[in-house]
Amino acid sequence: MSGLVLKSISKTFGGTRAVDLVNLSFAEGQLTALLGPSGCGKTTLLRMVAGLEAPSGGVILLGDRNITDLPAHRRKFGMVFQSFALFPHLTVRDNVAYSLHISGVSRSEAADRAGKLLDLVQLSAFGDRRIGQLSGGQRQRVAIARALAQEPEVFLLDEPMSALDAKLREEMQVELRLLQQRLGITTIVVTHDQREAMTMADSIVVMSNGRVEQVGSPQDIYHKPQNAFVADFIGKANFFDGMTVPGGIRIGATHLVAEPRFIGRSLVRVAIRPERACLDEEPGANRLPAKITFVRDLGPIREYHLESALGRMVVEYAAGEGGKIFQVGDTTEVRLPPDALHIFPAPTAHEALAVAAE
Amino acid sequence: MTVAEHIETGPETARAAKPLSAVRLLSWALTAVIVTLCVVPFLLVFVISFGRKIEGAAWVWDFTLANYQRFFVGALWPDDVTFLYLQQLGFSFWYAVIASLLAVLTALPFTLLLSRLSRRAQAAWLVFILSSLSLSEVFIVMGWDILLSNNSGLPALFKSTGLTQWLKDTGWFQVLRDWGLASPRNVKFKTSQFATILTMSYLVWPYAVILLYPALSRLDRSQSEAARTMGAGGWCVARTVILPAIRLPLFGTTLLLFVFLLGTYVAVTVFAAPAQHSTAVAIYSNIRGANLNAPFGAAQAVILLMSAGVCLALGHRINTWAEAR
């Protein structure tokens, strides 16, 4: 194969459009994360790729082969479900060897391959156990080994970490990524956890309301968000609504120096990441008086909540950065570097309501 | 604990003991009721089965194995041997096994589809099926009796629509005759094993749906989907995922319906030929019918009950063995 391509894929349930004209290309051997809030259509999209849902419109291509109407059992894409969907009546080994058994592979060969896969996921000592005797993390590994047994061309994972606790989740994210890199298999992961997506993915697809908002590398998505939704959903950001004026943006009575690529007097939404705003004495544009209202020290990072002429905002420093330590009630100046400002068209009332509802 | 503490806590312990004895009394009373209602009638039947029939009169208490001997080898053994009553037991089993399997096998796909409908549709169907349970066996058999009767039921309809003639023309009529489902002139369902089993299976079909529904509605659909993504087609998913997941309820339902059907009386009386009547019919004719031989009827009842018990025990063993595998 040479990658998976989705062309104008859409899916409607009754009157609801769950997926809306999605065009995506999944490069061979890469891990792509479908990221978005609940109900944005990412799982529906994954299920259409797996063949578990029929698209209402559009085409799915695997290499140059049209697989849109190919049933799930003929696609044989390995899939890990949110609930893992392991078979409780089978042992761990038989679960892993399931696809081999039903495809007519001899028992000895199936057992041999299942053993190798259990080695791969470090569960070789658990082959004879029942699923009910495994922990959440072990179950997830069994589900991964089972999905890989048929040597699928595409590996799909639907929120595979959601059933795990926070610590185990972080460990499994790294393990899964290492495994995927070792096998070099085209992988699509559905998640609503941006940390998970940024840890594992070569490429992230941010989705909202059934549409693709942005596709890019984790760094691009974080540092160069293409719209306010992406800036808001990925990481944290301070938002201000304003209007473009010559040389910058006017927010209330404040003028910010910036380079908006909009015609004059356009309504815009300005975003700045908390770690890009500074509380320092260095000279520069966009210095505003501010008062510290709350300090949150999380160990690796320190957050300053402050009140400025633009309203409330948050400034964030990594441990050991930032020089002076401020206390609640201190007055200082906050600097918003022009190159750190992301300027987007102001959301329409309809979009604002949809975002608020999410 | 000091002596003083012991003296202080003593009356409290006595007070706590009072409600305990009341609970114990209630449990004894309940046990007595259950024993009276369930065990005593069975013990009576068991004891009567050793009684003796007085020819031309009623029966007397006794301790003879003659009734059991008659059941297994006939009354004239060892001079003559007859397996008439064993044959009747065989028919009981035959009807019950086939009818329960037929009911479960047809109820399974229906219930599986039912469990995938919307909640509203499921509720409507379940209410409909539950309400059908209120119909008595007599009422249902009467309906089937009319439907399958030779003069006014399906055979008459077949004849008037020309289906009978078509069957004759195509040669299928002879096949039906070989199966005992046609007279020289027309299709006939009465009397036949087909009609008996069909009616018996219809009798328990709602029970099959109600018993299978909880297990099927709790099935994790993602397991079937996982199997599909691993290359399993529809039948393979059913065989390797759905059936193992509901093996126990499926087995339990079949066994329950089988035991229930062992005692079917009305359907067998109406639809089965006299030579193919079951033990339940024979028991009735001995206890309340023409024979008035309560000890022999009781012996038949005990044997039927024991047979059902053996089947349940066997089923349990098979299930345990399958689970261990």
Side-chain angles (χ1 to χ4, degrees):
Chain A
M1 72 164 248
S2 56
L4 181 76
V5 177
L6 310 184
K7 285 186 177 172
S8 305
I9 290 292
S10 60
K11 178 71 183 176
T12 49
F13 294 104
T16 310
R17 182 158 274 219
V19 175
D20 192 5
L21 294 172
V22 166
N23 291 289
L24 285 172
S25 181
F26 301 92
E28 190 173 356
Q30 291 221 322
L31 192 151
T32 306
L34 300 181
L35 178 66
S38 298
C40 71
K42 55 190 187 297
T43 294
T44 306
L45 189 64
L46 190 84
R47 288 173 62 80
M48 285 192 283
V49 171
L52 297 172
E53 298 278 358
S56 306
V59 176
I60 302 173
L61 299 171
L62 183 64
D64 52 1
R65 204 154 52 102
N66 185 343
I67 59 163
T68 316
D69 298 321
L70 201 65
H73 68 277
R74 307 263 311 267
R75 290 186 199 192
K76 290 192 174 185
F77 288 179
M79 183 159 173
V80 175
F81 289 73
Q82 195 171 355
S83 63
F84 306 142
L86 297 169
F87 305 135
H89 59 283
L90 298 179
T91 62
V92 167
R93 184 175 288 104
D94 287 342
N95 261 280
V96 175
Y98 177 84
S99 62
L100 305 173
H101 285 151
I102 61 170
S103 60
V105 175
S106 70
R107 287 198 79 81
S108 59
E109 193 186 337
D112 189 40
R113 273 165 69 179
K116 283 179 185 160
L117 282 159
L118 287 172
D119 273 345
L120 190 72
V121 295
Q122 297 162 27
L123 280 178
S124 43
F126 295 80
D128 294 325
R129 289 205 187 173
R130 291 270 168 181
I131 299 304
Q133 295 172 304
L134 302 183
S135 68
Q138 289 166 338
R139 285 179 200 200
Q140 195 213 34
R141 288 171 201 222
V142 176
I144 290 169
R146 186 181 68 171
L148 292 173
Q150 59 184 328
E151 295 173 354
E153 290 181 280
V154 179
F155 187 31
L156 311 170
L157 300 102
D158 184 9
E159 309 240 12
M161 315 285 175
S162 61
L164 308 181
D165 62 59
K167 190 169 181 295
L168 187 58
R169 195 181 309 168
E170 301 234 333
E171 287 172 13
M172 289 306 295
Q173 286 165 10
V174 176
E175 278 194 40
L176 184 60
R177 176 58 168 157
L178 290 173
L179 182 68
Q180 187 271 335
Q181 283 176 332
R182 204 180 329 160
L183 299 174
I185 188 168
T186 308
T187 304
I188 306 173
V189 181
V190 159
T191 179
H192 62 266
D193 182 345
Q194 52 149 313
R195 282 176 68 91
E196 193 171 300
M198 296 192 76
T199 305
M200 297 196 296
D202 295 301
S203 173
I204 295 178
V205 177
V206 184
M207 292 185 67
S208 165
N209 291 323
R211 289 189 298 269
V212 172
E213 297 285 350
Q214 187 173 348
V215 182
S217 70
Q219 296 307 310
D220 274 353
I221 295 275
Y222 185 80
H223 293 295
K224 297 173 192 167
Q226 284 176 359
N227 57 44
F229 174 82
V230 176
D232 191 23
F233 191 73
I234 306 290
K236 287 179 281 189
N238 298 294
F239 285 98
F240 314 105
D241 290 325
M243 183 189 286
T244 56
V245 291
I249 295 158
R250 201 178 72 223
I251 300 169
T254 307
H255 180 271
L256 289 183
V257 175
E259 290 180 15
R261 296 189 184 96
F262 295 92
I263 58 169
R265 302 185 69 76
S266 295
L267 293 176
V268 291
R269 174 161 281 188
V270 180
I272 182 167
R273 299 284 185 201
E275 70 275 13
R276 296 297 309 275
C278 319
L279 300 174
D280 56 28
E281 307 289 318
E282 285 181 27
N286 300 338
R287 299 183 67 85
L288 305 168
K291 184 177 180 183
I292 309 292
T293 56
F294 183 71
V295 179
R296 189 157 81 129
D297 196 337
L298 298 170
I301 56 164
R302 173 178 279 249
E303 275 180 12
Y304 293 111
H305 294 240
L306 44 98
E307 195 73 55
S308 73
L310 297 180
R312 288 181 180 178
M313 59 186 295
V314 179
V315 177
E316 193 177 282
Y317 283 102
E321 279 184 351
K324 186 179 173 186
I325 302 290
F326 294 95
Q327 304 297 330
V328 174
D330 288 354
T331 53
T332 180
E333 282 193 326
V334 61
R335 186 166 60 86
L336 311 177
D339 63 335
L341 297 177
H342 302 286
I343 303 159
F344 312 112
T348 60
H350 178 70
E351 286 170 343
L353 278 175
V355 170
E358 281 164 9
Chain B
M1 184 186 280
T2 65
V3 175
E5 280 171 345
H6 185 263
I7 291 167
E8 277 173 24
T9 54
E12 278 180 26
T13 314
R15 273 199 299 277
K18 266 187 184 173
L20 192 70
S21 60
V23 168
R24 192 169 290 173
L25 205 66
L26 189 68
S27 70
W28 276 109
L30 277 172
T31 310
V33 169
I34 290 166
V35 166
T36 311
L37 292 178
C38 303
V39 182
V40 169
F42 170 71
L43 284 177
L44 266 176
V45 170
F46 187 66
V47 172
I48 291 170
S49 72
F50 296 103
R52 189 158 44 84
K53 162 81 176 162
I54 308 290
E55 284 308 321
W59 59 275
V60 291
W61 299 101
D62 200 347
F63 184 77
T64 171
L65 295 174
N67 296 315
Y68 289 96
Q69 177 206 308
R70 184 181 171 191
F71 185 90
F72 289 108
V73 286
L76 302 176
W77 184 82
D79 301 327
D80 191 16
V81 177
T82 171
F83 299 117
L84 173 68
Y85 303 107
L86 274 177
Q87 197 183 28
Q88 285 175 342
L89 185 66
F91 276 115
S92 291
F93 272 73
W94 168 247
Y95 295 146
V97 166
I98 302 299
S100 57
L101 282 176
L102 188 64
V104 169
L105 290 178
T106 50
L108 179 63
F110 172 82
T111 316
L112 194 61
L113 291 174
L114 174 69
S115 67
R116 289 176 181 178
L117 294 177
S118 68
R119 284 276 156 201
R120 202 183 163 89
Q122 284 186 39
W125 271 106
L126 286 173
V127 167
F128 174 69
I129 289 163
L130 278 169
S131 63
S132 76
L133 294 178
S134 63
L135 299 174
S136 76
E137 184 187 348
V138 176
F139 192 84
I140 290 169
V141 171
M142 193 178 79
W144 279 93
D145 190 18
I146 294 166
L147 187 69
L148 301 177
S149 71
N150 297 332
N151 296 325
S152 56
L154 286 175
L157 182 73
F158 287 0
K159 195 167 190 178
S160 63
T161 55
L163 184 63
T164 305
Q165 191 55 49
W166 178 81
L167 286 169
K168 284 178 179 171
D169 295 344
T170 54
W172 281 104
F173 193 79
Q174 189 53 44
V175 177
L176 290 177
R177 282 204 72 185
D178 294 343
W179 290 347
L181 292 174
S183 65
R185 283 189 224 160
N186 196 6
V187 175
K188 77 165 181 69
F189 297 114
K190 277 179 69 181
T191 55
S192 69
Q193 289 189 16
F194 171 77
T196 311
I197 288 170
L198 193 67
T199 311
M200 284 170 75
S201 128
Y202 178 86
L203 274 172
V204 292
W205 198 82
Y207 292 101
V209 174
I210 300 295
L211 289 168
L212 289 174
Y213 176 76
L216 288 170
S217 63
R218 277 200 306 268
L219 265 183
D220 183 358
R221 284 186 70 178
S222 63
Q223 286 180 7
S224 302
E225 290 178 343
R228 283 169 61 199
T229 61
M230 287 185 279
W235 169 239
C236 188
V237 171
R239 190 170 51 83
T240 59
V241 179
I242 296 176
L243 287 178
I246 58 161
R247 185 173 50 83
L248 194 59
L250 199 63
F251 197 66
T253 302
T254 312
L255 218 54
L256 190 78
L257 299 187
F258 162 73
V259 171
F260 181 82
L261 286 172
L262 275 180
T264 309
Y265 171 76
V266 185
V268 179
T269 313
V270 171
F271 291 111
Q276 296 175 343
H277 276 182
S278 63
T279 301
V281 177
I283 292 170
Y284 182 82
S285 68
N286 275 308
I287 293 179
R288 303 294 302 171
N291 302 347
L292 276 181
N293 187 348
F296 184 53
Q300 285 177 304
V302 169
I303 289 167
L304 188 63
L305 189 75
M306 294 296 181
S307 308
V310 167
C311 287
L312 287 175
L314 265 176
H316 178 67
R317 285 293 293 273
I318 291 169
N319 187 54
T320 314
W321 170 77
E323 212 161 60
R325 278 187 74 204

